[in-house]
Amino acid sequence: MKRSTQKIGTAGIALFAGLMDSLTGVLLMTVPLLTLRLMGVEAPSEAVPYVRFMGAFIFAVGSLYLWGLLSVALLGTWKGVFCMYYATAWIRAVIGVFSTVAILSGGLGLEWGVVPLTDISLAIFQVVWLLKGGIPRHV
């Protein structure tokens, strides 16, 4: 894989996933019921503290991507991005499997299907990207 493709692809994936999760997390923390409605999910008002907690976790995952990019911008090293890719792929795989099981067992409704679809897809993509040499080694 060419170095320019590595840099652009790696940064693009991290920026997309980081902004997606960070924004979703902030919205879940600040306007949880509205955010869930936008996702097509209804929740009782009693669930708000738990939804806000989930938002904090989602924001944390998203900010890991952005933190990795910050290490490139400030330090000129891709090591933070490399670690972030493996860490977030693991987190996404765990969440994807858990939410799939929860949906199939009736613990979550089908409207939650976007969660495992997104998380498992990104986890697989990130691992494949890493295995194909997507992180520049000598930058």
Side-chain angles (χ1 to χ4, degrees), residues 4-35:
S4 61
T5 303
Q6 288 175 316
K7 290 179 181 179
I8 292 169
T10 299
I13 296 162
L15 185 62
F16 170 76
L19 291 175
M20 176 183 66
D21 282 349
S22 294
L23 179 60
T24 301
V26 166
L27 289 173
L28 285 169
M29 287 187 288
T30 58
V31 285
L33 295 177
L34 173 63
T35 306

Side-chain angles (χ1 to χ4, degrees), residues 20-22 24-25 28 53-63:
M20 176 183 66
D21 282 349
S22 294
T24 301
L28 285 169
F53 179 78
M54 285 185 343
F57 178 77
I58 293 165
F59 174 78
V61 173
S63 64

Side-chain angles (χ1 to χ4, degrees), residues 24-105:
T24 301
V26 166
L27 289 173
L28 285 169
M29 287 187 288
T30 58
V31 285
L33 295 177
L34 173 63
T35 306
L36 289 176
R37 273 197 302 279
L38 291 172
M39 294 170 56
V41 175
E42 292 297 323
S45 58
E46 296 84 24
V48 167
Y50 303 105
V51 173
R52 285 191 166 136
F53 179 78
M54 285 185 343
F57 178 77
I58 293 165
F59 174 78
V61 173
S63 64
L64 279 176
Y65 288 96
L66 302 177
W67 192 336
L69 289 176
L70 189 61
S71 74
V72 174
L74 295 179
L75 305 174
T77 178
W78 289 84
K79 289 178 185 177
V81 176
F82 180 78
C83 294
M84 170 276 304
Y85 258 63
Y86 276 115
T88 56
W90 172 248
I91 293 167
R92 287 188 177 284
V94 170
I95 293 168
V97 169
F98 171 81
S99 54
T100 298
V101 170
I103 291 167
L104 294 175
S105 66

Side-chain angles (χ1 to χ4, degrees), residues 119-136:
D119 284 323
I120 291 172
S121 297
L122 262 171
I124 291 169
F125 186 83
Q126 286 177 214
V127 170
V128 169
W129 184 257
L130 285 168
L131 294 175
K132 287 189 171 210
I135 302 289

Side-chain angles (χ1 to χ4, degrees), residues 109-123:
L110 287 176
E111 64 272 13
W112 286 95
V114 71
V115 173
L117 179 67
T118 302
D119 284 323
I120 291 172
S121 297
L122 262 171

